């Protein structure tokens, strides 16, 4: 059984359309405006490519259909590269300009050369551009912080495989010509469509996993190599280890210690209403404010997706309240100045060793319960927790 060109193109179009639809729908559902949006545009360009080639294979459009298909095909790995750069929080101005200029060059090249050279006119320019974009996308996927994610290495392998295939295809095209039996058998349009189907299926799965990895629920873990996130806040495991050590040493000397938990409420509702990018900005402002307004000698770390914890010495309950109030006011000031215009509810809970004891778990539980109560309390933004609050979390 041998596939004809039109059947192969239609098969590729169906796969590309289904993949693009699934990814775009999920992007819209998540209100994703980061890397996922750029990847979604790339998949849409892939779907547009196949429809342009179907139009040409059916005898509609001629050189214009081929030029549109070539340019859209070039934009597919181009937007994948841009999405990878966005994932790594790198600038897109220059790289976006490069993608646009090269896509226009591919379009013009096909438009000029197809009438004179046939359907393969301008193909070498497109293939060279695709190799460059696939290679850049693969290299970007290996850069940190994206490179720390296991799925990013698989994605990089997919992109490098695409670059290698089109590099070999370009070499065969230049050496033997598109009409040769060798090129038609191993690198012709039918084999290229099959390779595109395989690469598209793997790429959609991997980018979906990558998008899920870089989310608010991951609590910045993907950014860190040493237990401290890029914004200076300790990750949960690192913070609890440091907290346990500090509490133990303070207990030897009976030095008073306070544990402050800062709870932010309504993040899920904000993400559903305004998108993950707006929520990420709120979370970044909140994390930065807690770290900025906490005492200089205090530990600042993650406690959960919606709580941060601050631990330090406090000579009296009044001193602990003053420190907690300063953190609360700093959070409100920073969030009020956020460009998103979103102001979530903040609650601050305080637990003292003189009332709860020198035990890490009850201290954290007591402060967490008090922070949740404070977020729901209209009269007080800072509340103290006691042993009963710690016990209530155990029941």
């Amino acid at each position: 059984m041998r596939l004809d060109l039109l059947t192969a193109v239609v098969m590729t179009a169906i796969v590309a359309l289904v993949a693009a639809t699934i990814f775009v729908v999920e992007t819209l559902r998540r209100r994703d405006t980061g890397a996922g949006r750029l990847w979604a545009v790339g998949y849409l360009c892939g779907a547009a490519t196949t429809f342009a080639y179907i139009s040409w294979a059916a005898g509609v459009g001629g050189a214009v259909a081929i030029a549109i298909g070539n340019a859209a095909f070039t934009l597919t790995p181009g937007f994948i590269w841009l999405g990878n750069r966005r994932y790594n929080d790198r600038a897109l101005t220059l790289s976006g300009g490069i993608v646009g200029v090269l896509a226009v060059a591919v379009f013009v090249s096909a438009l000029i050369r197809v009438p004179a050279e046939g359907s393969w006119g301008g193909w070498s320019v497109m293939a060279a551009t695709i190799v460059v974009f696939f290679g850049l996308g693969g290299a970007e996927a290996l850069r940190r912080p994206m490179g720390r994610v296991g799925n990013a290495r698989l994605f990089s392998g997919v992109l490098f495989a695409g670059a290698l295939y089109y590099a070999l295809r370009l070499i065969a095209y230049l050496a033997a010509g598109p009409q040769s039996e060798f090129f038609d058998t191993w690198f012709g349009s039918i084999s290229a469509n099959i390779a595109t189907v395989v690469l598209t299926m793997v790429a959609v799965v991997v980018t979906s996993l990558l998008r899920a990895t870089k989310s608010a629920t991951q609590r910045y873990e993907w950014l860190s190599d040493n237990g401290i996130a890029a914004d200076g806040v300790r990750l949960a495991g690192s913070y609890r280890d440091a907290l346990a050590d500090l509490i133990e040493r303070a207990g030897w000397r009976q030095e008073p210690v306070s544990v402050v938990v800062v709870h932010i409420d309504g993040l899920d509702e904000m993400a559903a209403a305004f998108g993950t990018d707006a929520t990420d900005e709120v979370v970044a402002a909140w994390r930065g404010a807690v770290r900025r307004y906490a005492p200089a000698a205090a530990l600042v770390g993650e406690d959960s997706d919606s709580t941060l914890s601050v631990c330090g010495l406090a000579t009296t309950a009044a001193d602990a309240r003053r420190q907690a109030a300063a953190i609360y006011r700093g959070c409100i000031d920073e969030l009020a100045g956020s460009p998103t215009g979103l102001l979530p509810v903040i609650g601050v809970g305080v637990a003292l060793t003189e009332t709860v004891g020198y035990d890490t778990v009850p201290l954290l539980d007591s402060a967490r319960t008090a922070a949740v109560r404070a977020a729901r309390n209209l009269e007080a933004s800072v509340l103290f927790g006691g042993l009963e609050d710690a016990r209530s979390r155990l029941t």
Side-chain angles (χ1 to χ4, degrees), residues 118-149:
S119 60
W120 288 94
W123 185 88
S124 58
V125 177
M126 181 195 75
T129 305
I130 288 174
V131 171
V132 170
F133 284 154
F134 269 135
L136 290 172
E140 189 65 37
L142 293 177
R143 290 176 63 99
R144 297 195 173 199
M146 186 178 182
R148 294 191 64 252
V149 183

Side-chain angles (χ1 to χ4, degrees), residues 81-82 84-93 95 139-140 143-145:
W81 173 44
L82 294 179
N84 292 357
R85 287 181 64 88
R86 179 69 179 84
Y87 197 98
N88 285 332
D89 294 321
R90 301 183 68 201
L92 298 181
T93 304
S95 54
E140 189 65 37
R143 290 176 63 99
R144 297 195 173 199

Side-chain angles (χ1 to χ4, degrees), residues 30-362:
R30 290 170 172 263
R31 297 177 183 269
D32 191 350
T33 55
R37 180 173 62 177
L38 292 168
W39 289 333
V41 174
Y43 291 131
L44 286 174
C45 289
T49 299
T50 57
F51 284 114
Y53 288 158
I54 286 176
S55 174
W56 164 76
V60 179
V64 175
I66 293 176
I68 292 174
N70 287 4
F73 200 176
T74 299
L75 288 173
T76 300
F79 274 102
I80 294 295
W81 173 44
L82 294 179
N84 292 357
R85 287 181 64 88
R86 179 69 179 84
Y87 197 98
N88 285 332
D89 294 321
R90 301 183 68 201
L92 298 181
T93 304
L94 178 60
S95 54
I98 292 172
V99 170
V101 168
L102 290 180
V104 171
V106 169
F107 178 84
V108 173
S109 175
L111 204 60
I112 294 174
R113 296 173 63 179
V114 165
E117 302 176 16
S119 60
W120 288 94
W123 185 88
S124 58
V125 177
M126 181 195 75
T129 305
I130 288 174
V131 171
V132 170
F133 284 154
F134 269 135
L136 290 172
E140 189 65 37
L142 293 177
R143 290 176 63 99
R144 297 195 173 199
M146 186 178 182
R148 294 191 64 252
V149 183
N151 291 319
R153 291 189 285 275
L154 175 59
F155 190 35
S156 177
V158 171
L159 297 176
F160 281 136
L164 177 62
Y165 176 79
Y166 273 92
L168 293 174
R169 197 177 181 209
L170 178 60
I171 292 171
Y173 173 87
L174 296 175
Q179 307 303 327
S180 67
E181 182 178 352
F182 173 78
F183 183 87
D184 186 59
T185 301
W186 296 102
F187 298 104
S189 297
I190 294 176
S191 63
N193 278 279
I194 295 173
T196 300
V197 168
V198 174
L199 292 174
T200 299
M201 292 171 62
V202 177
V204 167
V205 173
V206 175
T207 48
S208 297
L209 293 173
L210 285 170
R211 178 168 59 186
T213 300
K214 188 181 181 183
S215 63
T217 58
Q218 294 300 313
R219 302 190 308 277
Y220 288 57
E221 289 183 25
W222 68 286
L223 290 171
S224 174
D225 281 321
N226 58 3
I228 299 176
D231 60 357
V233 176
R234 288 179 177 269
L235 300 182
S238 172
Y239 173 74
R240 290 193 185 107
D241 289 342
L243 175 62
D245 179 66
L246 189 151
I247 295 298
E248 182 183 25
R249 289 186 289 113
W252 295 339
R253 302 172 179 81
Q254 292 299 297
E255 294 179 347
V257 173
S258 70
V259 173
V260 178
V261 167
V262 186
H263 175 76
I264 185 170
D265 205 13
L267 289 178
D268 291 339
E269 291 79 1
M270 287 183 185
F274 302 101
T276 55
D277 257 23
T279 308
D280 287 346
E281 287 190 34
V282 170
V283 170
W286 165 63
R287 290 168 64 99
V290 172
R291 184 167 178 262
R292 178 186 297 272
Y293 293 96
L299 299 173
V300 181
E302 296 177 349
D303 185 49
S304 72
D305 294 342
S306 57
T307 56
L308 294 178
S309 180
V310 178
C311 177
L313 298 179
T315 55
T316 62
D319 186 33
R321 179 181 289 277
R322 179 187 58 76
Q323 294 176 8
I327 294 172
Y328 174 81
R329 288 193 300 271
C331 288
I332 296 299
D333 290 343
E334 294 290 331
L335 290 169
S338 172
T340 63
L342 301 176
L343 187 60
V345 177
I346 301 291
V348 180
V350 184
L352 302 174
T353 52
E354 63 181 87
T355 56
V356 180
Y358 291 88
D359 192 335
T360 304
V361 174

